[in-house]
Amino acid sequence: MDFLNELNDAQREAVIATEGWVRVIAGAGSGKTRALTHRFAFLVNELGILPGNILCVTFTNKSANEMRQRIHQLTGDNDTGYINTFHGFCVSILQEDSHAFQYPRSFLVLDNSDIDAMLQIIYEERGLTLRDMTFSAARDMIEIKKLFKEPDYYRDMISMSLETLKEKYDRATAAGDIIFYGYLYQEKKCFGLDYNDLIKFSLYIFQEHPNIRLKWQQRLEYIMIDEFQDIDSLQYELMEVLCGYHKNLFIVGDPDQTIYTWRGANVKYLLDFDREHPGTRTIMMMRNYRSTPEILAAANSLIAHNQNRMEKELIPTLPSGKPVMCHFAASPEAEAQAIVDEIKELQSQGVRLGDITILYRAHYVTRAVEEALLKGQVPYTLYSGVQFYNRKEVKDALSYLRMIAYKDDLSFRRVANTPKRNLGKRRMAFLEEYAARRGCSLYQALQENLDDPTLKGTKAQQFISLIELFAAEHEGKPVSEVLAAILNESGYEKMLRTEGNQDRLDNLAELKQSVYVYETTCGEEVTLPHYLTYAALLTNADGGNDAKDKVKLMTVHAAKGLEFPYVWICGMNEGIFPSRKVRTLQGMEEERRLAFVALTRAEQGLYLSMAGGRSYDGSPWYPSRFLLDIDQALLTFTLPPQEGLIQEAREYVERSTRYLPEDDSDMLMAVGQRVRHSMFGEGTVLEVGEGAHVVQFDSMATPRKISFKAKLERI
């Protein structure tokens, strides 16, 4: 048992506690992966358990692969049992026992692109448009129906013939029913299962076939589950079934790192585990081997402000290091420049670019940072995202501006049919052939063929009129104004709103902000060609060479489970981090947990920054409440905050928090719910929209939109 000597007391206790219910509360950087892998090796090497009788569940395929490699090194055995995600393990169950639900062993596992392809077929078959429901909303609706509204849907998929399911789809009249039953039909037609189906079908097999259930229960003598704070109700139910025979379940999690409640995670399964499973042995792993005491002190100070948590603190083991730096910049551009300056300073001290990571709450925040990195010739790589100026909506917006200024073919091809103007492949081929024959531009070809029968039924004339109007009137106007107007009048922003794509709208808002900043800082009158040249330089700039030594940029969610020597968390402003989408106290606590995750990614150096000033719509930017939550004595400010800014920010936070309900159950009313308003009296909820209920009050002739902030009493 020499390998146990590598472990501290809490890790060793976790490894040798093999029987019964075991709960490990493992703080960030406390070595939980080491404990899990060593426990697996202990079961195999010391107790003689066969790897094929052990199930180890992780939450990502990447984590599962890393764990397999570590376990292989510890055991020397090529058989590493079932080390998988919940969904991956369910695939193993369903493939082995596919006969139990009359699907072939080679069924399809569907991803989002497959689902969208099915939705496309349904929409075309039944004449639906994105105005009926966006694809994003349709996917959410399907998931909600499967999980909550029609949880027994899988019985239809299993028991009904394809013909009967098709009839159910054909009879549907409401858009939601058409999409849902059409989707079930398409799934059955190709023997496809999505992620929800994998667990539902596995539970169905276990419920309907006790012999199969017992087979799997007996096979899995030991079950270990990582990241237990992220488990949802279906995963919990599956876990309860699987450990029902041997009753050996080992769970690891950190309630302070619950950041996925929006996709069904429920931390109560971790917090209440000992109540549900009497005799549970709880082991606390709080010794942190990742971060300096300075970083941990800031993280502990931040998370202590959450009310719904298990009281605990990370304990440092590393020697003292650099102070946690905090930078209050005058603008996003100044913030970005400060980041680049600090990166170059670290470089001069011998720090590799690959050891530096910039984290942010949302992708649109990267615009100013990317620009500064490009100008400073600092190589970088973007994780789980596309570089700002390469994002589709940004390229589309710039192409509209280029159409106004240049009417070039590249821009024409990009936006002539975006939004849809019936200028599809056939008509574009006609214009290409005409332009090649006459030696003219595609735009000119369109102008000269407006009366051609080929273009009948298109919106070609509207497109020409739009471009001509802007081409004639843009001179002398601020580019930011021209951009806002063309995105509005072309219908482009309306298209994104119809699709329900808020991320893309956020990126366009950031582009408008960047144009405004360019105008106000250029020091001379800015023309449209000036700006387009500037943007082209940014778009075409080399974001780095092929070497691996690059600064990493990623969202905090993408950084979960990772660690980096030096971390800069930018955009720590109210409305950015925490997100402006937070509408409940529980949601705010989750945002604070997300900030905690961000802070605890850093090993040696941690930098926090925010941008002051005002956005293009005139609203002020305040420092994030999470910066204010941290004991100010634990932060070293590069510049003292502006006089009165901290107090102003605290007042803003207090005002914005005052009316937040505890959770969604307090806030959201169902359509048809009778309610009472303190002033308007009784009424009926007609609709639940973005941030508001639409209520028809008995005393009023017309409905009112009532903000979620207002208290509505159920009656």
Side-chain angles (χ1 to χ4, degrees), residues 684 686-687 693-697 700-706:
T684 304
L686 301 181
E687 187 182 331
H693 295 101
V694 179
V695 183
Q696 178 62 67
F697 291 103
M700 296 181 176
T702 56
R704 295 288 185 273
K705 274 191 176 181
I706 305 298

Side-chain angles (χ1 to χ4, degrees), residues 106-391:
S106 57
F107 61 85
L108 291 174
V109 179
L110 305 172
D111 60 19
N112 273 348
S113 63
D114 298 320
I115 297 169
D116 284 352
M118 290 179 174
L119 290 174
Q120 189 69 48
I121 294 168
I122 297 162
Y123 279 46
E124 287 175 2
E125 281 182 351
R126 299 297 298 272
L128 299 177
T129 71
L130 294 176
R131 286 186 174 80
D132 294 299
M133 194 177 298
T134 66
F135 278 12
S136 173
R139 287 197 302 271
D140 289 346
M141 180 272 296
I142 291 167
E143 186 164 14
I144 288 167
K145 279 207 173 200
K146 283 187 171 184
L147 291 175
F148 306 113
K149 294 186 176 178
E150 298 194 36
D152 293 333
Y153 74 92
Y154 60 94
R155 295 186 176 276
D156 284 357
M157 288 179 70
I158 293 169
S159 62
M160 284 186 179
S161 69
L162 192 61
E163 291 72 26
T164 308
L165 205 52
K166 176 75 160 61
E167 286 172 15
K168 201 165 182 177
Y169 163 49
D170 289 339
R171 286 198 306 270
T173 53
D177 290 340
I178 291 170
I179 293 166
F180 184 63
Y181 292 112
Y183 177 67
L184 296 188
Y185 167 67
Q186 289 295 334
E187 277 195 290
K188 177 116 180 176
K189 191 175 173 184
C190 69
F191 295 112
L193 299 176
D194 63 26
Y195 273 24
N196 290 310
D197 302 330
L198 293 172
I199 297 183
K200 284 275 192 179
F201 276 50
S202 298
L203 287 167
Y204 166 83
I205 290 176
F206 291 153
Q207 185 181 341
E208 298 294 322
H209 301 273
N211 58 320
I212 295 176
R213 180 177 71 238
L214 184 61
K215 174 188 72 174
W216 284 98
Q217 287 176 331
Q218 289 179 334
R219 183 183 299 177
L220 302 174
E221 297 175 3
Y222 295 89
I223 298 173
M224 299 188 285
I225 301 177
D226 193 12
E227 305 286 3
F228 200 79
Q229 75 277 352
D230 293 329
I231 203 167
D232 64 27
S233 58
L234 279 179
Q235 293 163 345
Y236 185 83
E237 188 180 346
L238 180 66
M239 174 210 75
E240 288 283 273
V241 172
L242 291 173
C243 66
Y245 185 82
H246 295 289
K247 295 182 171 53
N248 288 326
L249 178 61
F250 177 91
I251 66 168
V252 184
D254 181 4
D256 287 335
Q257 295 189 67
T258 307
I259 59 173
Y260 293 116
T261 58
W262 48 275
R263 66 184 191 197
N266 194 333
V267 73
K268 77 178 179 70
Y269 294 128
L270 176 62
L271 294 176
D272 298 344
F273 188 84
D274 55 338
R275 292 183 208 164
E276 298 296 323
H277 302 86
T280 293
R281 181 174 179 179
T282 296
I283 300 166
M284 304 293 286
M285 283 173 40
M286 291 295 115
R287 291 177 68 81
N288 178 285
Y289 295 90
R290 176 186 300 160
S291 309
T292 63
E294 289 81 1
I295 293 169
L296 294 183
N300 285 330
S301 177
L302 168 70
I303 200 63
H305 287 265
N306 270 7
Q307 300 299 311
N308 299 310
R309 65 182 293 265
M310 182 184 286
E311 198 167 324
K312 57 187 179 63
E313 278 201 352
L314 295 170
I315 302 164
T317 60
L318 298 181
S320 188
K322 298 172 180 285
V324 176
M325 303 300 299
C326 188
H327 185 71
F328 283 34
S331 67
E333 287 67 32
E335 180 187 16
Q337 190 56 52
I339 294 172
V340 171
D341 291 344
E342 182 58 36
I343 288 172
K344 290 186 173 181
E345 174 61 28
L346 288 171
Q347 258 192 307
S348 72
Q349 297 169 17
V351 176
R352 292 174 60 255
L353 291 179
D355 288 340
I356 302 169
T357 300
I358 301 169
L359 301 181
Y360 41 85
R361 179 64 179 86
H363 283 302
Y364 69 88
V365 176
T366 66
R367 189 271 309 167
V369 177
E370 286 189 65
E371 286 186 14
L373 290 167
L374 289 167
K375 287 178 185 171
Q377 297 184 316
V378 177
Y380 70 94
T381 183
L382 202 67
Y383 285 72
S384 61
V386 180
Q387 292 185 350
F388 185 82
Y389 285 95
N390 287 329
R391 291 170 194 165

Side-chain angles (χ1 to χ4, degrees), residues 325-561:
M325 303 300 299
C326 188
H327 185 71
F328 283 34
S331 67
E333 287 67 32
E335 180 187 16
Q337 190 56 52
I339 294 172
V340 171
D341 291 344
E342 182 58 36
I343 288 172
K344 290 186 173 181
E345 174 61 28
L346 288 171
Q347 258 192 307
S348 72
Q349 297 169 17
V351 176
R352 292 174 60 255
L353 291 179
D355 288 340
I356 302 169
T357 300
I358 301 169
L359 301 181
Y360 41 85
R361 179 64 179 86
H363 283 302
Y364 69 88
V365 176
T366 66
R367 189 271 309 167
V369 177
E370 286 189 65
E371 286 186 14
L373 290 167
L374 289 167
K375 287 178 185 171
Q377 297 184 316
V378 177
Y380 70 94
T381 183
L382 202 67
Y383 285 72
S384 61
V386 180
Q387 292 185 350
F388 185 82
Y389 285 95
N390 287 329
R391 291 170 194 165
K392 181 182 183 304
E393 58 280 4
V394 174
K395 280 183 165 292
D396 288 348
L398 292 175
S399 292
Y400 266 111
L401 291 182
R402 283 179 31 167
M403 282 302 300
I404 297 168
Y406 309 125
K407 302 183 175 93
D408 62 292
D409 285 358
L410 285 174
S411 300
F412 182 90
R413 289 190 186 96
R414 191 164 189 102
V415 300
N417 201 40
T418 307
K420 294 279 190 283
R421 299 185 177 95
N422 247 354
L423 295 169
K425 288 182 181 177
R426 183 176 66 85
R427 289 177 172 121
M428 288 298 283
F430 165 78
L431 294 174
E432 294 271 8
E433 191 273 331
Y434 182 92
R437 196 170 66 250
R438 296 295 181 90
C440 63
S441 69
L442 291 172
Y443 182 81
Q444 194 177 337
L446 186 65
Q447 276 183 309
E448 293 175 8
N449 287 280
L450 288 173
D451 296 327
D452 191 284
T454 308
L455 296 175
K456 191 176 179 183
T458 70
K459 294 181 179 177
Q461 182 61 67
Q462 291 96 315
F463 180 66
I464 293 289
S465 299
L466 176 81
I467 300 302
E468 290 299 309
L469 177 68
F470 275 84
E473 296 184 357
H474 78 272
E475 288 185 23
K477 291 183 178 177
V479 179
S480 54
E481 186 181 309
V482 174
L483 175 62
I486 192 78
L487 290 174
N488 178 45
E489 293 182 34
S490 65
Y492 191 87
E493 283 190 318
K494 184 181 178 182
M495 173 190 76
L496 294 185
R497 283 194 292 272
T498 305
E499 291 174 358
N501 205 319
Q502 189 56 49
D503 286 345
R504 289 189 167 179
L505 288 166
D506 285 344
N507 285 333
L508 288 184
E510 185 59 28
L511 179 66
K512 292 173 191 173
Q513 177 70 19
S514 76
V515 178
Y516 172 74
V517 169
Y518 179 71
E519 287 171 337
T520 54
T521 57
C522 195
E524 57 186 59
E525 188 178 344
V526 176
T527 65
L528 183 55
H530 279 154
Y531 175 73
L532 288 170
T533 302
Y534 164 79
L537 290 171
L538 288 171
T539 307
N540 295 328
D542 183 6
N545 50 42
D546 293 332
K548 291 183 179 178
D549 194 26
K550 299 178 181 179
V551 174
K552 301 177 185 72
L553 274 68
M554 66 182 76
T555 64
V556 182
H557 280 102
K560 176 79 166 26

